[in-house]
Amino acid sequence: MCGVVAILAPEGGASAETLERATRALWHRGPDAQRHWVAGHGRVGLGHSRLSIIDLTTGDQPIANEDGGLRVVVNGEFYGFEALREELERAGHHFRTRSDSEVVLHLYEETGTRCLHRLRGEFAFVLWDEPNRLLFAARDRFGIKPLFYARHEGRLYLASEVKALFAAGVPAGWDREMVHQFHACGLLPPDRTLFQGVRQVPPGHYLLADGGHDRLLPYWDFNYPRAEEYQAIDSEEHVERLRAALYEAVRIRLRADVPVGCYLSGGLDSCAVLGIASALASRPLHAFTLRFEQPEYDEGEIAQEMAEKAGAHFYPIPISSADLAEGFADAVWHAETPFINAHGVAKFLLSRAVRDAGYKVVLTGEGSDEVLAGYPHFRRDLVLYNTEGQDAEVAAQLLTKLNESNQVSRGILSTGGETVPMESVRGVLGFVPSFFEVWAQRARGFSEVLSPAFTAEHGSRDPSRLFLSHLDVEGQMSGREAVNQSLYLWSKSLLPNYILSILGDRMEMAHSLEGRLPLLDHKVVETIVQMPVTEKIRGITEKHVLREAARPVLTDQVYRRQKHPFLSPPAAARTDGPLFALVNDTLRSGYPADTGFFDPEGVSRLLDRLPAMDAGERTQLDAVLTSLTSFCLLGQCMHL
C-alpha cells in the first residue's frame, strides 16, 4: 500500500517541487521510497510514496511501459498478478519490475479501460497515456483505497488523501453544503467530501481527463437479483460455494514478501479470516486484539480462545480512556472525517502497535457486515419488510429481542427513541431503511448545537432525497428485497466513507500498515450477492451462510455468538475520565463558534446536562459528542 499524487496541467507548469510537497504529505503511507516524474512538456506529473510489500528491490514508482508512452502510480495490491504477467509476456510485453503494480500498464495497452475488469484486489491508481494525452484514474470496486481530486486554476490534482491536495496548492476550506449534509443525515453523495472543491472517485468508477474535461464512469456494481431471478440452489450448496470463494480470497492475500499478521476480535468475521488463514499458512500467524477496560466492549477472552484454536500467537493490545484521549487528534488528522465513536482512535492505536511489532501487512475482517447483513438495522428491515407469511406477534417479539440485545450500539447501529418521519425516502424506495432512521435520530441530536443561521441557510434541503438522487435507484434497487436495497445503500455511503476509512485504510496507513480484506474480494461478494436474504439472516441471526462456511475453523462460542459491533466505550461513559475531559475542553474552546456551524450556548447546555444523565442516555449521545469533537479537532489540525 502506498500514496499516489498526480497533476494534469493543460497549459504546462506541473512541477517537481509541487509533486514533492504533495508526496511528502503522504510519507506515512509510503516511507520506503518517495519518487516523482514530470513529463518533458510539463503538462503532467506523477508522484508516489512507497510501502514495499511485493518486489522489495525493483518496484519503485512511477513505472513506465516499454517505450515510456505510459506511466502509472498505484496504491494497493493486484492479486493473482502472476498469471496476468505470464499471459502478457506471452503476448510480447516486457516487464521492468517484478511488482504486481506493473501489470496494469500492460493490461491497459492491450484492452484500454476494460483492464479494470481483469484486476482483483484493493487499489487506486493514476495512469498517464502520453500518445492519447489522456489521464486514466480508477478506484477499486468497494472503495477500500481512497482517491480524491480537485480542479484549481485550470489544473487537475489527484491524491490518496486530501491533505496532499492541500499541500499541492488546492485551497483548504469546508464545503458548507456537505457539512450540513453530514450533520443532517450522515450520508454524503458518493463523489463528494466535506472539503470545498474536493471530490472523490466513487467505488467501482474510473475518471478520464483530457485537459479541461473530466468524466466519471462506472465499471462495476452489485446488481442484486430481483426476486424472480434467484437460482434454485439449496442452502448447503450456497455454503460450499462461499467456503471455496473464501479460501481462495484468503490464500491470495497471504502472498507477500514480508510477514502477514491478522487483526482479531471476538466477532465472526475476523475469526473466520484467522481460522482460514491459519489452515492455509505454512507457519503460525500472529493475531492482534484490542482490549478495553469496560467488559461490555471487551472481546479479549473470546479472541484468545479463537487464537488458541487456530494455533496463532495471541497479542492483546490494552487500550484505556487515557490512550484514546491522547491519540484522538492524530487519528482524526489521518482520517480526514469525523468519528461517531472513538473506535477509530482504537484502530489507530492497534495499527501502531502492529507496526511496532514489525508488521507491514494484516488480514482484516472488514466488509462482511455490508454484504451479509450483519448490523442490527438490517435484521430490523427483514422483520419489518419481508412480511410474507409472517406472524405479527412473532415479528413483534423478534423486534423486542433485537432491541434488547443491541444496547451498546443504540444511536449508532440500532434505533433508540422516537422514529423520524421520512416520507420523501418512502416515496422513492417504498419503505424507509432502518439505518436511515438511526442516522435521522442522530441528526436530531445535533439540532440544539447547530447555529440557527447555518440551519436556516440549508433548511429547505432534504438531505436524504439528495443522497438518493445520486444513485441508480431504478437500475440497482427497484424490485429488490428491502434488505438488499438497504445493503446497497449502506455500501454506497457508510462502507467507503466510514468503515473502510476510519476502521480501515486511513488508520492502518497512518502507520504504514497494509490491510487486506478477503471478505471484500469481489468474487466473494459476487457469490454472496446471488444468495437469497434467508441465507444471510435466519430469524434474527445474522450472516448465517458465513457461520456455516467457516464453522470448521471457529470456536463454538464464536459460531453461536450474535454480532457484537466494534465500538469503544462512549466518550461520556465516565464524565470524570480523560476522554470526556478532551470532549469537554474541545467543545468549550472557541473553535466551534469560529466555524459558524455550531451554537456555543447550545453546545454548553448539552455538556452541562451530561453528568445528570443515565448511562443509556449518554451512550445514545455518543455519536453526537464524538462527531462534534472530531469535527472541531479536524478543522484545527487542517487549518480550516
Side-chain angles (χ1 to χ4, degrees), residues 490-509:
W490 184 274
S491 295
K492 294 297 179 180
S493 55
L494 278 303
L495 176 62
N497 293 337
Y498 195 89
I499 303 297
L500 297 178
S501 176
I502 286 174
L503 299 179
D505 173 86
R506 307 305 280 277
M507 298 300 94
E508 292 151 0
M509 291 306 294

Side-chain angles (χ1 to χ4, degrees), residues 578-590:
L579 184 55
F580 181 71
L582 172 72
V583 170
N584 196 55
D585 292 345
T586 301
L587 297 185
R588 293 188 192 276
S589 72

Side-chain angles (χ1 to χ4, degrees), residues 173 333 335 347 492 604:
W333 182 79
K347 190 67 177 286
K492 294 297 179 180
S604 294

Side-chain angles (χ1 to χ4, degrees), residues 121-141:
E122 303 103 357
F123 58 84
F125 65 81
V126 183
L127 184 151
W128 174 247
D129 179 345
E130 177 66 30
N132 294 302
R133 296 290 199 273
L134 183 68
L135 185 141
F136 168 41
R139 192 176 180 197
D140 66 64
R141 295 163 177 84

Side-chain angles (χ1 to χ4, degrees), residues 275-353:
I276 293 170
S278 295
L280 295 169
S282 59
R283 62 188 66 181
L285 296 170
H286 290 211
F288 299 88
T289 299
L290 284 168
R291 300 295 310 263
F292 291 115
E293 297 169 308
Q294 290 185 232
E296 61 267 40
Y297 295 90
D298 183 66
E299 299 180 285
E301 292 182 5
I302 301 169
Q304 183 171 5
E305 182 187 20
M306 179 63 214
E308 290 170 356
K309 177 177 176 63
H313 300 294
F314 180 66
Y315 288 87
I317 312 296
I319 301 292
S320 67
S321 177
D323 295 325
L324 293 172
E326 182 180 353
F328 206 116
D330 285 342
V332 168
W333 182 79
H334 282 284
E336 298 182 338
T337 194
F339 299 158
I340 59 170
N341 175 260
H343 54 187
V345 189
K347 190 67 177 286
F348 174 84
L349 298 172
L350 173 64
S351 298
R352 184 176 68 187

Side-chain angles (χ1 to χ4, degrees), residues 41-237:
H41 48 61
R43 290 192 289 269
V44 67
L46 303 175
H48 193 258
S49 295
R50 187 184 184 209
L51 180 65
S52 51
I53 303 293
I54 301 287
D55 183 13
L56 305 184
T57 57
T58 69
D60 287 350
Q61 301 184 33
I63 303 173
N65 68 338
E66 297 93 332
D67 64 6
L70 304 178
R71 293 179 190 265
V72 73
V73 284
V74 179
N75 169 28
E77 299 289 350
F78 299 132
Y79 302 114
F81 74 95
E82 298 91 344
L84 287 174
R85 178 179 177 129
E86 290 176 5
E87 175 187 324
L88 290 162
E89 287 176 331
R90 287 194 300 271
H93 291 273
H94 299 282
F95 282 70
R96 296 171 181 259
T97 75
R98 294 185 297 276
S99 165
D100 62 302
S101 297
E102 190 175 353
V103 297
V104 71
L105 275 175
H106 304 289
L107 273 176
Y108 177 81
E109 282 187 279
E110 290 287 321
T111 63
T113 60
R114 287 184 57 80
C115 67
L116 291 165
H117 298 283
R118 303 289 307 280
L119 298 175
R120 184 177 186 178
E122 303 103 357
F123 58 84
F125 65 81
V126 183
L127 184 151
W128 174 247
D129 179 345
E130 177 66 30
N132 294 302
R133 296 290 199 273
L134 183 68
L135 185 141
F136 168 41
R139 192 176 180 197
D140 66 64
R141 295 163 177 84
F142 308 104
I144 299 169
K145 296 289 103 186
L147 186 58
F148 299 94
Y149 67 99
R151 279 206 168 270
H152 177 56
E153 296 181 344
R155 298 177 181 178
L156 176 66
Y157 297 82
L158 300 98
S160 295
E161 297 184 12
V162 176
K163 59 179 67 68
L165 297 178
F166 294 163
V170 174
W174 293 115
D175 182 327
R176 295 180 66 84
E177 181 185 4
M178 288 301 102
V179 169
H180 179 268
Q181 179 80 12
F182 174 82
H183 289 99
C185 78
L187 306 173
L188 301 188
D191 67 331
R192 299 293 292 273
T193 74
L194 291 171
F195 306 102
Q196 186 173 8
V198 176
R199 294 183 177 259
Q200 58 180 324
V201 177
H205 281 67
Y206 63 94
L207 173 73
L208 294 178
D210 56 3
H213 305 284
D214 309 328
R215 285 190 297 155
L216 274 177
L217 297 165
Y219 70 90
W220 186 91
D221 216 332
F222 286 85
N223 297 316
Y224 282 100
R226 290 179 169 83
E228 68 274 10
E229 295 172 342
Y230 286 111
Q231 299 178 19
I233 298 173
D234 65 29
S235 185
E236 187 55 38
E237 185 170 349

